[in-house]
């Protein structure tokens, strides 16, 4: 059953009125949801699927997607419950549930990815899809990927706290009431990143809608990263772990532990950037990404 606050979702004609790359947007029916999807580049180019992280939307790729579109046909959806995509039922707000939904979208679009790339939780969705055989990309790229449980007691306390907030129907509304520009800026800087005024404003715009907030809380409350982490040795896909050296949300050294559990992976550390490295310096991230694609002979 959907929460009544899901009705307070971002509106394409209000929050989306000047959305980055609005001309690249379309709405697609798949897996029982109406998805907001952006596409960039030449259709004949290799397909690159981009998935944003928790609390974000397609605006997260506003700088990076056009750069990657020089070599790829880039597909970037809003994840369920985020931005302008419908929410999933509460029962499907697990990592496997989210992976099944994105699989349905990929099948509907008819563009299996040659490369799959995700930021934070988006990388976890893609890793789950690869493990399940739903996609078979030649490269999986994780930008500050959430591929391991939080260290120590946080791995238990953080999901439990998110679950309590998610189950309280008033939490998203209260958060939305307090989501002004300064609050959004503090939240972003807390991850070790600094964004330009437009970037901060786009996050504020989303956080001001309780339906979007509930979508983010639902992801954090219902995910089991322990199971994914245990399954990583079975992930045969070549994996590139791009890490911002100043990330305060996911410790940079976590990527090296993840690398050691994967059969075929390497870490690319980019110093001076935080959790939103791909938004802070899209040119630097694109350069690392393209180099890996060239090594594999994809471009």
């Amino acid at each position: 059953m959907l929460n009544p606050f899901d009705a307070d979702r971002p509106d394409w004609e209000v929050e989306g009125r000047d959305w980055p790359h609005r001309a690249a947007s379309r709405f697609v029916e798949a897996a029982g949801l109406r998805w907001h999807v952006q596409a960039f580049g030449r259709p004949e180019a290799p397909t690159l699927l981009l998935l944003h992280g928790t609390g974000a939307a397609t605006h997260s790729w506003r700088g990076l997607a056009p750069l990657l579109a020089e070599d790829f046909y880039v597909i970037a959806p809003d994840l369920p419950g985020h931005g302008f995509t419908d929410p999933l039922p509460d029962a499907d707000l697990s990592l496997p549930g989210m992976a099944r939904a994105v699989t349905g979208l990929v099948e509907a679009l008819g563009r299996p990815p040659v490369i799959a790339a995700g930021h934070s939780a988006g990388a976890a969705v893609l890793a789950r899809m690869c493990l399940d055989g739903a996609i078979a990309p030649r490269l999986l790229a994780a930008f500050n990927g959430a591929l391991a449980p939080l260290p120590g007691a946080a791995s238990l306390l953080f999901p439990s706290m998110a679950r309590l907030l998610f189950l309280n129907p008033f939490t998203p509304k209260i958060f939305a009431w307090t989501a002004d520009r300064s609050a959004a800026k503090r939240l972003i800087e807390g991850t070790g990143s600094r964004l330009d005024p437009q970037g901060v404003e786009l996050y504020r715009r989303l956080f001001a809608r309780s339906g979007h907030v509930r979508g983010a809380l639902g992801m954090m409350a219902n995910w089991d990263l322990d199971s994914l982490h245990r399954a990583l040795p079975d992930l045969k896909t070549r994996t590139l772990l791009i890490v911002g050296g100043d990330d305060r949300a996911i410790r940079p050294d976590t990527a090296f532990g993840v690398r050691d559990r994967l059969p075929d992976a390497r870490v690319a550390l980019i110093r001076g950037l935080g959790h939103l490295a791909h938004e802070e310096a899209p040119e630097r991230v694109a350069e690392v990404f393209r180099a890996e694609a060239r090594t594999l002979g994809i471009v």
Side-chain angles (χ1 to χ4, degrees):
M1 184 171 131
L2 295 179
N3 187 287
F5 289 139
D6 281 330
D8 184 31
R9 298 206 46 76
D11 186 318
W12 185 238
E13 300 307 324
V14 180
E15 285 77 18
R17 64 192 179 277
D18 55 353
W19 200 248
H21 309 298
R22 184 181 165 106
S25 292
R26 59 179 163 137
F27 288 86
V28 177
E29 301 286 339
L33 305 176
R34 183 174 186 260
W35 300 73
H36 171 236
V37 180
Q38 293 193 323
F40 306 83
R42 296 172 289 108
E44 65 272 19
T47 300
L48 164 60
L49 175 64
L50 286 180
L51 295 188
H52 64 77
T54 307
T58 50
H59 76 281
S60 188
W61 309 116
R62 66 193 178 280
L64 184 61
L67 296 175
L68 298 181
E70 297 172 10
D71 298 301
F72 304 98
Y73 184 67
V74 179
I75 296 174
D78 286 344
L79 287 172
H82 288 67
F84 306 98
T85 293
D86 288 346
L88 283 169
D90 290 356
D92 294 331
L93 284 175
S94 61
L95 178 52
M98 187 72 75
R100 285 192 298 270
V102 177
T103 297
L105 174 64
V106 171
E107 291 173 350
L109 294 173
R111 297 287 308 220
V114 175
I115 299 181
H119 171 242
S120 194
V125 175
L126 293 170
R128 185 70 265 168
M129 292 169 69
C130 290
L131 286 164
D132 294 342
I135 55 173
R138 293 183 58 190
L139 175 66
L140 170 64
F143 307 123
N144 297 94
L147 301 176
L150 293 171
S155 65
L156 298 174
L157 293 176
F158 185 76
S160 298
M161 185 176 298
R163 194 170 297 114
L164 287 173
L165 293 172
F166 175 73
L167 291 173
N168 184 337
F170 296 102
T171 299
K173 201 71 173 178
I174 293 169
F175 190 98
W177 283 337
T178 61
D180 58 16
R181 185 183 292 268
S182 61
K185 188 171 183 287
R186 286 195 302 272
L187 187 61
I188 290 164
E189 291 181 351
T191 71
S193 290
R194 293 182 180 275
L195 300 186
D196 60 20
Q198 183 199 26
V200 174
E201 166 58 21
L202 290 165
Y203 277 103
R204 184 212 62 79
R205 199 179 293 182
L206 294 177
F207 294 158
R209 288 288 197 168
S210 61
H212 178 85
V213 174
R214 190 171 191 273
L217 286 174
M219 283 181 71
M220 292 186 286
N222 291 279
W223 281 28
D224 177 11
L225 286 178
D226 287 289
S227 296
L228 177 66
H229 192 243
R230 287 194 299 270
L232 288 181
D234 297 324
L235 182 61
K236 308 304 182 187
T237 311
R238 169 70 177 176
T239 305
L240 173 66
L241 304 167
I242 299 178
V243 182
D246 292 343
D247 189 351
R248 294 181 197 163
I250 300 174
R251 286 184 350 200
D253 59 355
T254 302
F256 294 92
V258 168
R259 179 201 61 188
D260 293 343
R261 293 184 60 79
L262 290 166
D264 185 12
R266 78 175 185 91
V267 174
L269 181 67
I270 304 180
R271 300 188 184 279
L273 301 178
H275 190 60
L276 300 172
H278 62 288
E279 295 192 50
E280 293 179 273
E283 296 85 1
R284 294 174 67 186
V285 172
E287 182 181 354
V288 173
F289 187 91
R290 280 202 193 97
E292 189 73 12
R294 284 195 295 269
T295 297
L296 295 175
I298 299 173
V299 297

